[in-house]
């Protein structure tokens, strides 16, 4: 009972400007404004607009009609009826490019152009007098970000779409070029529709990268041309796969929503499933007890000292790279189990014949696979162990995902690598669900406790770094490992929590959780209106 006044204080407020993530510059007024029933979004000076821009306009127009989100105040906006009914009417939104000469790059082309290559900034003006609002950007990707913001301004009152705080002026751009979400589709399979719904939700909070951890030791659902046997033998079933057509569809769907897809094929660890089709390439497959040979079952990892296995892996990466247009591709490199190699006769024979240590063999393996990626125009991305724990000569352009602990960020930065924040102590969404391995009544997840949205929101991306090192931080992401997740709880475990890092890496650190909470409520409720089953953050107080 003591908490009720506090909860009420958080909710019983006048409607907030529910923009998420927080814009770089925002000014608002106190004048109500209605949206015309014949409201339109018009292209100004843009001829032959890319299809994904016109599609984005159509989706925004549909959201304005269908969201029907009431103001999150006790009377759901009823006390504003008189003001809304007498308000001026906004007839249209005019969108234009600052420079529109020559061929216009599509949203998707901008999203996949590379880290920070395409300008995402925009300026939005909504006048208190009604008439026409304006959205201006240097690129169609910037226009798309601005459309997303415009769609967050409005509420519904008895069929009238309105806001209470005109005039509104937004000047906005992101703090970091990489704002991501990682989805693991190997522990449990997620249908294409789940992935698309997640991409939609990501775009609504300006997340611009999906890190797709598509395969692992448990299953290999990706159908790779020339390597079809991997999925034929390694997928959970013939129906639980991602075909090349599926991939093409997902990549295009993401790009049209301003999202680039960085695929990960984790190697040389986390590859036990390859033994189902190519046992010659896997050391200690299904070894027991699994805990001596892997961080989780089943055991098995690539025979990295084998020239044949190295060539097999390089060829696999070449074919995977051709499926994904992104400039980045992750080769993983985490949780290598040295005991597995010590007990594998073939690996020991290969090391002896080549007069190499295991670390030297790992370096040669990495050089071969990364060379293949660079030849395909890709920048390699790795987990932090490859930079901090192993004697691997990574190229200067390699990007490092820091996952074990945020305490390791400085060590990666000191080595001069660009880095993405993905620390388990802040950004893992699967923590706190208990032990999943079996007979362990009091067991906890290894990364307990549950990571609240406030925890990730409080993170400082440049803490402990010098000014020079801070420039190496290209962004961050939240991650869902799916040992205990499937279609049944995907939305609820991700949203609205993952929106917290979306704002952190768009707006920069230092946001106040108290002022963020009402806006995050807006995110969750608006998501539900659009078909994403986000969970509530508090009781529904009145």
């Amino acid at each position: 009972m003591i908490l009720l006044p506090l909860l009420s204080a958080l909710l019983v407020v006048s409607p907030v400007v529910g923009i998420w993530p927080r814009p770089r510059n925002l000014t608002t007024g106190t004048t109500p404004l209605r949206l015309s029933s014949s409201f339109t979004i018009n292209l100004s000076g843009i001829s032959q607009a890319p299809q994904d821009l016109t599609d984005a306009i159509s989706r925004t127009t549909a959201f304005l009609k269908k969201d029907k989100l009431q103001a999150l105040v006790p009377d759901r906006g009823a006390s504003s009826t008189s003001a809304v009914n007498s308000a001026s009417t906004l007839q249209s939104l005019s969108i234009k490019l600052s420079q529109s000469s020559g061929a216009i790059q599509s949203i998707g082309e901008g999203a996949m152009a590379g880290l920070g290559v395409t300008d995402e900034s925009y300026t939005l003006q909504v006048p208190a007098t009604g008439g026409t609002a304006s959205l201006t950007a240097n690129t169609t990707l910037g226009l798309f970000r601005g459309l997303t913001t415009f769609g967050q301004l409005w509420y519904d009152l008895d069929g009238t779409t309105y806001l209470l705080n005109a005039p509104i002026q937004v000047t906005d751009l992101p703090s970091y070029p990489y704002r991501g979400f990682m989805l693991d589709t190997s522990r449990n399979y997620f249908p294409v529709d789940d992935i698309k719904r997640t991409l939609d939700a990501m775009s609504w909070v300006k997340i611009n990268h999906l890190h797709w951890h598509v395969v692992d030791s448990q299953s290999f659902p990706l159908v790779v041309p020339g390597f079809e046997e991997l999925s034929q033998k390694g997928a959970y079933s013939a129906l639980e796969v991602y075909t090349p057509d599926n991939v093409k569809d997902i990549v295009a769907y993401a790009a049209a929503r301003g999202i680039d897809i960085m695929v990960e094929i984790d190697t040389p660890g986390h590859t036990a499933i390859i033994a189902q089709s190519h046992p010659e390439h896997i050391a200690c497959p299904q070894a027991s007890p699994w805990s001596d040979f892997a961080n989780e079952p089943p055991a098995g990892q690539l025979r990295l000292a084998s020239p044949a296995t190295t060539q097999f892996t390089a060829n696999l990466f070449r074919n995977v790279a051709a499926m994904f247009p992104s400039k980045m591709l992750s080769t993983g490199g985490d949780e290598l189990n040295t005991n597995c190699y010590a007990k594998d006769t073939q690996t020991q024979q290969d090391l002896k014949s080549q007069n190499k240590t295991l670390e030297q063999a790992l370096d040669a393996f990495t050089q071969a696979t990364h060379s293949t990626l660079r030849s395909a125009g890709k920048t390699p991305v790795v987990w932090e162990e490859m930079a901090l724990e192993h004697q691997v000569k990574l190229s200067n352009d390699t990007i490092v995902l820091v996952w074990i602990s945020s305490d390791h960020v400085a060590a990666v930065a000191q080595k001069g690598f660009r880095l993405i924040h993905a620390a388990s102590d802040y950004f893992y969404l699967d923590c706190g669900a208990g032990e999943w391995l079996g007979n362990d009544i009091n067991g906890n997840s290894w990364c307990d406790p549950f990571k609240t949205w406030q925890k990730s929101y409080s993170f400082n991306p440049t803490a402990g770094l010098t000014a020079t090192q801070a420039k190496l931080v290209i962004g961050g992401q939240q991650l869902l490992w799916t040992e205990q997740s499937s279609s049944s709880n995907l939305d609820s475990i991700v949203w609205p929590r993952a929106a917290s890092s979306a704002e952190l890496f768009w707006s920069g650190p230092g946001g106040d959780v108290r002022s963020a909470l009402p806006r995050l409520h807006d995110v969750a409720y608006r998501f539900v209106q659009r078909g994403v089953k986000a969970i509530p953050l508090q009781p529904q107080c009145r």
Side-chain angles (χ1 to χ4, degrees):
M1 296 299 292
I2 296 175
L3 291 176
L4 289 180
L6 173 60
L7 294 175
S8 297
L10 290 170
L11 292 177
V12 182
V13 293
S14 59
V16 298
V17 180
I19 303 174
W20 194 283
R22 184 180 72 252
R24 183 67 60 94
N25 292 292
L26 169 68
T27 59
T28 62
T30 57
T31 302
L33 190 65
R34 291 181 295 164
L35 202 65
S36 170
S37 59
S38 58
F39 173 82
T40 57
I41 300 177
N42 304 315
L43 295 167
S44 176
I46 303 176
S47 59
Q48 297 182 329
Q51 184 64 48
D52 55 12
L53 177 59
T54 59
D55 289 345
I57 290 171
S58 296
R59 291 196 304 273
T60 303
T61 304
F63 290 146
L64 291 169
K65 294 179 180 179
K66 297 178 181 178
D67 273 359
K68 302 295 183 183
L69 178 64
Q70 296 177 320
L72 301 183
V73 294
D75 67 359
R76 298 301 184 256
S79 58
S80 301
T81 299
S82 177
V84 169
N85 287 342
S86 60
S88 298
T89 302
L90 189 71
Q91 300 291 338
S92 63
L93 171 66
S94 175
I95 71 174
K96 63 180 180 179
L97 291 169
S98 302
Q99 298 178 342
S100 57
S101 60
I104 298 174
Q105 187 182 54
S106 68
I107 294 170
E109 289 169 336
M112 297 187 293
L115 280 171
V117 171
T118 304
D119 187 352
E120 297 182 75
S121 67
Y122 66 92
T123 299
L124 174 66
Q125 294 178 313
V126 181
T129 54
T132 299
S134 65
L135 170 62
T136 305
N138 296 322
T139 66
T140 57
L141 184 58
L143 291 176
F144 179 66
R145 303 301 181 211
L147 284 169
T148 301
T149 296
F150 184 79
Q152 295 175 326
L153 299 175
W154 303 91
Y155 298 92
D156 178 80
L157 179 62
D158 298 327
T160 297
T161 305
Y162 76 99
L163 52 79
L164 295 176
N165 29 39
I168 296 173
Q169 178 156 336
V170 178
T171 303
D172 202 9
L173 74 164
S175 296
Y176 293 95
Y178 184 102
R179 307 172 306 278
F181 168 67
M182 191 217 77
L183 179 63
D184 162 24
T185 60
S186 62
R187 270 74 178 200
N188 281 301
Y189 175 83
F190 292 83
V192 171
D193 284 349
D194 283 347
I195 296 174
K196 287 184 172 181
R197 188 177 66 257
T198 301
L199 290 166
D200 281 330
M202 291 165 61
S203 74
W204 299 335
V205 289
K206 302 183 178 72
I207 293 175
N208 68 341
H209 284 85
L210 174 66
H211 172 183
W212 191 359
H213 187 92
V214 63
V215 300
D216 208 292
S217 282
Q218 289 77 16
S219 76
F220 202 108
L222 182 65
V223 181
V224 181
F227 291 84
E228 290 86 355
E229 71 280 2
L230 293 175
S231 56
Q232 289 168 357
K233 297 290 185 66
Y236 288 127
S237 75
L239 297 177
E240 295 170 294
V241 296
Y242 305 107
T243 67
D245 284 344
N246 291 150
V247 170
K248 186 177 181 180
D249 181 32
I250 291 169
V251 166
Y253 193 91
R257 286 151 182 80
I259 298 169
D260 191 22
I261 295 182
M262 177 181 75
V263 70
E264 178 185 354
I265 306 294
D266 201 354
T267 58
H270 291 271
T271 48
I273 194 65
I274 292 176
Q276 300 298 316
S277 55
H278 289 280
E280 70 276 14
H281 293 313
I282 299 298
C284 56
Q286 301 289 336
S288 182
W290 65 264
S291 56
D292 289 348
F293 299 94
N295 279 47
E296 67 177 45
Q301 49 195 28
L302 287 168
R303 284 181 167 138
L304 56 82
S306 163
T309 300
T310 298
Q311 188 61 56
F312 166 86
T313 309
N315 291 341
L316 174 62
F317 274 123
R318 181 181 296 107
N319 289 19
V320 171
M323 300 175 71
F324 292 88
S326 176
K327 305 297 185 184
M328 298 181 293
L329 193 153
S330 175
T331 63
D334 63 318
E335 298 183 330
L336 202 64
N337 187 288
T338 57
N339 185 57
C340 168
Y341 291 127
K343 299 292 179 62
D344 183 60
T345 301
Q346 182 63 53
T347 297
Q348 292 305 307
Q349 290 176 349
D350 288 334
L351 291 174
K352 184 177 181 180
S353 67
Q354 298 168 40
N355 194 28
K356 288 181 179 177
T357 65
L358 184 63
E359 287 295 318
Q360 289 171 331
L362 175 61
D363 180 56
F365 176 90
T366 303
Q367 299 308 322
T369 54
H370 283 197
S371 176
T372 296
L373 291 184
R374 284 192 292 274
S375 296
K378 309 296 186 184
T379 297
V381 181
V382 297
W383 296 109
E384 66 180 81
E385 292 98 316
M386 296 295 283
L388 299 181
E389 296 182 12
H390 296 294
Q391 299 168 26
V392 175
K393 295 184 288 292
L394 298 173
S395 60
N396 292 335
D397 66 335
T398 305
I399 297 171
V400 177
L401 290 154
V402 180
W403 73 275
I404 296 174
S405 172
S406 57
D407 292 337
H408 299 173
V409 169
V412 172
Q414 286 169 6
K415 288 180 174 287
F417 293 113
R418 290 179 295 167
L419 63 94
I420 295 170
H421 289 292
S424 60
D425 49 332
Y426 281 88
F427 299 117
Y428 272 31
L429 295 168
D430 52 302
C431 303
E435 181 61 84
W436 61 271
L437 289 170
N439 187 21
D440 188 2
I441 295 172
N442 297 315
N444 295 317
S445 65
W446 74 271
C447 56
D448 271 9
F450 181 90
K451 302 301 184 287
T452 66
W453 74 267
Q454 294 98 322
K455 178 70 172 178
S456 51
Y457 193 79
S458 70
F459 185 72
N460 183 350
T462 58
L465 302 181
T466 67
T468 299
Q469 292 170 346
K471 295 177 182 178
L472 296 171
V473 177
I474 61 174
Q477 64 184 17
Q478 288 187 271
L479 308 89
L480 180 60
W481 301 102
T482 59
E483 287 88 348
Q484 294 177 290
S485 295
S486 67
S487 293
S488 63
N489 68 340
L490 173 61
D491 290 2
S492 61
I493 200 169
V494 175
W495 305 112
R497 276 194 296 161
S500 63
S501 63
E503 177 155 301
L504 170 66
F505 293 108
W506 176 280
S507 309
D512 176 65
V513 293
R514 292 169 295 182
S515 60
L517 180 58
R519 292 185 298 108
L520 194 54
H521 278 302
D522 252 46
V523 171
Y525 276 80
R526 199 175 293 275
F527 273 28
V528 170
Q529 294 297 101
R530 296 181 182 183
V532 174
K533 295 180 179 180
I535 62 171
L537 299 172
Q538 290 183 331
Q540 186 175 330
C541 296
R542 289 185 178 272

